[in-house]
Structure formats: structure tokens, C-alpha cells
Amino acid sequence: MPSGRRLDLLDPTPFDWDDADLALGLARTYRWGGHSAWPLLWAQTHL
């Protein structure tokens, strides 16, 4: 993650990531599971 923190997938806590980590992850996530005519990123659908 950009913050340099490590996420424990078996025991996550709210302090394992910050807002920039979450924003980057959402910005790189495709919407509708790729079921569109062209790839739409989450960030593109919320502008």
C-alpha cells in the first residue's frame, strides 16, 4: 500500500490503512465486474 503499512487479512483493524490507500484501491477497481462495453473505473463513474 502507498502508506507502507501491511494489512493482516485474517485480523484487520481500522488502523491498517489510511484514506489514501482506500482511494487508490477504489480508483483501480473496475465497476460492474468488467461487464460493460469498455472498462470503467470506479473513479470514472463518480466524477
Side-chain angles (χ1 to χ4, degrees), residues 14-25:
F15 306 107
D16 290 343
W17 61 82
D18 61 12
D19 292 340
D21 295 331
L22 182 61
L24 183 64

Side-chain angles (χ1 to χ4, degrees), residues 3-43:
S3 66
R5 298 177 183 162
R6 295 196 179 263
L7 177 62
D8 182 0
L9 295 176
L10 298 177
D11 188 26
T13 68
F15 306 107
D16 290 343
W17 61 82
D18 61 12
D19 292 340
D21 295 331
L22 182 61
L24 183 64
L26 288 173
R28 292 180 176 172
T29 301
Y30 287 110
R31 275 302 260 185
W32 301 296
H35 297 285
S36 63
W38 56 89
L40 291 172
L41 295 176
W42 186 90

